[in-house]
Amino acid sequence: MKNKTKASYFQGAIALVILSFPFAALPQESMTRTNANSAFAHGLMQSMDIMDKNMMAAPMTGDPDHDFCAMMIPHHQGAIDMAKAILLNGNDPIVRRLAQEIIVTQQQEIEVMRLRLAAMQSSAPSMLLNNQPALSSSIPISSHDRVYTADQTSGTVSVIDPVSNKLLGVIRLGDPIPTALSPLYRGQLLVHGMGFSPDHRTLAVVSIGSNSITLIDTESNKILGVIYVGRSPHEAFFTPDGKELWVAVRGENYISVIDPVKMKEIRRVQTANGPGMVLFRPDGRYAFVPSSFTPELDVIDTRNYEVVARVPQASPFSPNLAVSRDGTEVWFTLKDSGKTQVMSAEPPFHILATLDSGPICNHVTLVDNTNGKFAYVTVGGENLVKVYSRGENPKLIATIPTGDLPHGIWGSGDGTRVYVGLENQDAVVAIDTLKNAVLATIPVGQQPQALVYVPDAVPSGDGMANLMPLGEAGKAAHLSLIAPEGSGRSAHATVSVNDLGALDLLQVAVSGLKPGQKYTLWLVESRTAPFGHKEALVSFQANPSGAQIVQAIGPLRTVLTSTGEQPAQKRFLMISQTDDNLPALIQESLLLNKSNHQTKEAQL
């Protein structure tokens, strides 16, 4: 900025904003004359505080047009939040009508300003790359924020307050198996993916088994509607301007573009077979789509919905990616080969680095904080989060033990925390990114998959409406398999056994096997040879990194967790090569397992 410091420029600009609309800047003295203990006064003060913080965090570029829009967006949002508060508490019909008009007109003006910002950024790429995008400014952690997990087996969305690191409750989208297999079943099945709107007010939840996207209001936890798409959608995300919701239809070969207001598909964008996820560069110019079935990442020009680049992946199975806030990098994981790749987010979109992260690489999130710029990758086969520095030569700088089968991951608005879903532990861990240490472990629904952190998801109220207790979703057992003593092998596995009512779902995440080798998971009577009667549960083939995730259904939880009251019914898990009777892995004793894993069943 010429002849001005950023502080002096900001002071002048914010003065202009306040003068332009004095309603949202009520004097502090006036507020103190209200009933300070009333919910209305508290809501107004919270709205003003959030507005002030977000205006202060708006990035200044020196361009008056840009900076006016960047600060007016949170300014107008503050007015909308205050207008909502008066509609909940006020009685005067003229004031209520005024509040309704404020909500409508200022939402329209916010949309115009967002579009202008996007247009300015598209016409000035150098400004985008050298400054933080206006809509990704740092937002301090507050009780208005929420962490959400998509709980695949229990059919729920878990809702966490990041200030208390406590589960507030779950939003139930469906029923577990076998109810969900009824021909008359109308709920959602295999709740798996997640995205959210740029105004942080709408959550999009993808259910693979029912081919659906459920839209949820983040403030009230109310289901707004359900949109049905093609076979086996996996992940979904809103465009930066909020006008479209793009859904990766992994069971087919296209992106379904949804109008979130009309709640219907408006076009399809053909991609490589098996699109796994879609995220956008912050300026909205490009969409990035890795594949889960084809070794190809597609780059789509959002102006004409055409694929403009096809970037080779190191292996076919990519479930997840993240885009940097400055719009320069794309990181994506490869679950089958245990690699993470880094790609330039600018033409010609070439690969910058390929990292050997470890077996069952699940999700990745990018964090910017006072320590620098980092990538956090969940490595399910090692029960770790691996932290990489970002830059020309990414380096592994930390490994953080998490718990069983880390999957979804997302960072807070200010980059000081990441939250990680533990698929085989039915829990979420909170990590302090400044210290790279676990802060808390939080029980959630069964087998959390995608996870998102949504700043300011609940601008007013306590956000407890329409939430249910964990209930039956909390019934689970968690076990481990290890290589036989003296075998010299390093193979290991984590196991979750989730209550589905009359049946249980058993899931095993195993690593350290021979790549490409076929194996069988057995239910046996003894942990030692000759193992007694053996019953095959499932056969599988280890992936290229020597890992795999396998499932089986049956009345398994009781027989696997019996403590001796009915020893004749006690059973154990064993894995062997399909053509070999010798165990590659055997279940740890329950006593040892309990010392290493605190299950939710023990907490009930």
Side-chain angles (χ1 to χ4, degrees), residues 72-356:
M72 272 302 239
I73 288 172
H75 176 271
H76 274 29
Q77 186 61 53
I80 291 170
D81 294 341
M82 287 185 239
K84 288 180 179 179
I86 196 64
L87 288 177
L88 290 173
N89 297 277
N91 298 309
D92 186 281
I94 296 176
V95 174
R96 289 178 61 83
R97 178 62 182 269
L98 176 62
Q100 290 170 339
E101 291 179 356
I102 287 170
I103 291 172
V104 172
T105 58
Q106 303 235 347
Q107 282 179 333
Q108 292 173 341
E109 291 175 6
I110 285 175
E111 184 63 24
V112 172
M113 288 186 286
R114 283 179 171 156
L115 291 173
R116 292 313 306 151
L117 282 175
M120 293 175 204
Q121 291 166 348
S122 295
S123 62
S126 60
M127 182 181 73
L128 169 71
L129 301 181
N130 294 325
N131 298 277
Q132 290 292 331
L135 301 183
S136 63
S137 54
S138 177
I139 304 174
I141 293 172
S142 81
S143 59
H144 298 284
D145 301 353
R146 291 292 181 266
V147 177
Y148 301 94
T149 63
D151 309 322
Q152 179 166 278
T153 300
S154 55
T156 55
V157 172
S158 292
V159 184
I160 294 169
D161 178 355
V163 170
S164 63
N165 281 324
K166 300 292 185 184
L167 176 71
L168 299 178
V170 299
I171 304 167
R172 183 165 294 283
L173 301 186
D175 299 318
I177 294 170
T179 305
L181 299 181
S182 164
L184 300 179
Y185 178 67
R186 299 183 63 187
Q188 306 315 315
L189 181 63
L190 300 183
V191 178
H192 190 99
M194 272 192 173
F196 56 90
S197 60
D199 65 0
H200 302 174
R201 298 296 186 265
T202 306
L203 193 68
V205 184
V206 179
S207 298
I208 294 176
S210 46
N211 302 331
S212 62
I213 296 89
T214 304
L215 299 184
I216 299 173
D217 178 77
T218 56
E219 187 171 41
S220 65
N221 302 306
K222 182 180 179 181
I223 294 174
L224 302 173
V226 180
I227 306 157
Y228 291 93
V229 294
R231 175 188 173 93
S232 302
H234 186 241
E235 295 282 359
F237 224 87
F238 287 82
T239 53
D241 63 9
K243 286 191 168 184
E244 295 176 345
L245 175 67
W246 288 36
V247 183
V249 183
R250 188 165 67 172
E252 301 192 49
N253 64 340
Y254 61 86
I255 297 294
S256 177
V257 180
I258 305 292
D259 181 328
V261 176
K262 296 180 180 179
M263 295 192 186
K264 67 176 185 179
E265 184 180 81
I266 56 176
R267 69 169 64 236
R268 294 180 177 181
V269 183
Q270 188 167 347
T271 65
N273 187 38
M277 189 176 182
V278 57
L279 278 182
F280 301 87
R281 203 169 74 174
D283 64 354
R285 173 68 181 276
Y286 297 109
F288 304 100
V289 184
S291 174
S292 295
F293 301 148
T294 308
E296 173 182 306
L297 185 150
D298 291 342
V299 182
I300 299 170
D301 188 327
T302 58
R303 298 173 302 177
N304 56 21
Y305 302 94
E306 296 290 336
V307 174
V308 294
R310 301 182 186 274
V311 182
Q313 297 174 181
S315 61
F317 187 7
S318 175
N320 188 258
L321 82 164
V323 184
S324 63
R325 286 186 172 187
D326 61 7
T328 62
E329 291 181 326
V330 177
W331 287 60
F332 58 98
T333 54
L334 296 164
K335 196 167 185 174
D336 54 345
S337 60
K339 299 182 185 298
T340 301
Q341 293 195 281
V342 187
M343 185 186 81
S344 169
E346 305 171 81
F349 307 108
H350 59 281
I351 296 296
L352 301 173
T354 300
L355 310 170
D356 290 318

Side-chain angles (χ1 to χ4, degrees), residues 382-576:
E382 297 179 2
N383 298 328
L384 297 170
V385 165
K386 293 189 176 180
V387 187
Y388 295 89
S389 61
R390 286 163 39 212
E392 290 186 10
N393 297 297
K395 302 290 185 185
L396 178 65
I397 62 168
T399 58
I400 307 169
T402 57
D404 294 353
L405 192 55
H407 195 129
I409 187 169
W410 206 277
S412 62
D414 61 2
T416 62
R417 287 191 205 163
V418 296
Y419 283 78
V420 182
L422 304 180
E423 183 177 347
N424 270 8
Q425 198 170 321
D426 305 327
V428 165
V429 294
I431 294 175
D432 181 335
T433 60
L434 300 180
K435 299 179 180 178
N436 284 329
V438 171
L439 294 171
T441 301
I442 308 149
V444 295
Q446 294 175 350
Q447 293 185 338
Q449 307 289 309
L451 176 151
V452 292
Y453 186 110
V454 184
D456 195 29
V458 183
S460 62
D462 62 7
M464 294 294 292
N466 300 306
L467 293 182
M468 301 176 65
L470 195 58
E472 294 296 310
K475 292 185 178 180
H478 305 101
L479 311 169
S480 297
L481 305 183
I482 57 174
E485 187 175 353
S487 67
R489 299 176 184 145
S490 59
H492 65 278
T494 61
V495 183
S496 67
V497 193
N498 294 105
D499 189 333
L500 301 180
L503 299 172
D504 304 297
L505 173 67
L506 180 145
Q507 177 169 285
V508 180
V510 57
S511 61
L513 302 178
K514 296 179 180 179
Q517 176 66 50
K518 293 183 178 180
Y519 292 85
T520 299
L521 173 67
W522 303 90
L523 196 65
V524 299
E525 292 180 321
S526 172
R527 294 181 61 252
T528 57
F531 308 110
H533 176 70
K534 294 167 59 180
E535 182 178 352
L537 296 179
V538 62
S539 294
F540 63 94
Q541 185 173 3
N543 68 23
S545 64
Q548 197 54 267
I549 297 176
V550 295
Q551 294 181 333
I553 291 178
L556 298 168
R557 191 164 60 98
T558 299
V559 298
L560 288 171
T561 60
S562 172
T563 55
E565 297 173 1
Q566 295 176 306
Q569 297 181 6
K570 177 68 178 176
R571 297 293 186 272
F572 303 90
L573 296 173
M574 184 181 82
I575 294 176
S576 69

Side-chain angles (χ1 to χ4, degrees), residues 13-29:
I14 199 169
L16 171 64
V17 172
I18 291 173
L19 287 172
S20 70
F21 191 60
F23 167 82
L26 293 175
Q28 182 69 28
E29 294 81 359

